[in-house]
Amino acid sequence: MRICAAVLVSLGLTLGLTGPLRAAELIMVEQHGCHWCEQWNAEIAPAYPNTEEGARAPLRRVLISDLPEDVAFTSRPVFTPTFVLVHEGRELGRMEGYAGDEFFWFLLGQLLDAHPDATALR
């Protein structure tokens, strides 16, 4: 009985220390008054959560002046909007700017497809 309890405690501690794996997310770095952010909001934002891309990398919005501490960016974002694909707190890739809906979906598809292990539908 003691061995069983010890194994369960050990397993619980191991799982607790490693924590759950986080799925990929698409971080949108934006700022108030950004024309291109507003255009993205009008053209893409309403549909994004209902798309396959939105399921593969749910959107998280952050302000350029208040970047999250739980993400290791390869470099500090400079332009808005910047879309950063993140998995387990690390940047996998990014898209800077917004040049229209067709270009956005095309580039996002390429970015997601370049990281199938992180963005596979579960």
Side-chain angles (χ1 to χ4, degrees):
M1 186 66 152
R2 287 185 185 176
I3 293 174
C4 184
V7 169
L8 289 175
V9 169
S10 177
L11 181 61
L13 288 174
T14 300
L15 291 176
L17 293 176
T18 60
L21 293 178
R22 294 182 286 172
E25 62 184 348
L26 185 67
I27 295 180
M28 178 181 179
V29 180
E30 58 189 324
Q31 66 181 332
H32 301 294
C34 167
H35 167 76
W36 298 109
C37 299
E38 292 171 7
Q39 188 172 345
W40 187 90
N41 285 329
E43 296 176 358
I44 305 294
Y48 188 82
N50 303 317
T51 64
E52 179 182 327
E53 293 86 351
R56 291 174 66 188
L59 186 68
R60 175 178 170 191
R61 294 168 170 267
V62 301
L63 293 174
I64 197 165
S65 60
D66 190 23
L67 295 175
E69 294 181 12
D70 65 333
V71 175
F73 293 98
T74 57
S75 63
R76 183 173 178 81
V78 176
F79 304 104
T80 59
T82 295
F83 300 91
V84 183
L85 182 63
V86 173
H87 184 249
E88 297 179 0
R90 289 188 13 241
E91 178 176 337
L92 299 178
R94 68 172 64 185
M95 304 180 313
E96 294 179 321
Y98 177 70
D101 61 340
E102 290 181 22
F103 199 54
F104 172 81
W105 291 117
F106 175 75
L107 289 178
L108 180 59
Q110 285 188 322
L111 183 58
L112 296 175
D113 290 345
H115 303 282
D117 292 341
T119 63
L121 290 175
R122 299 184 202 314

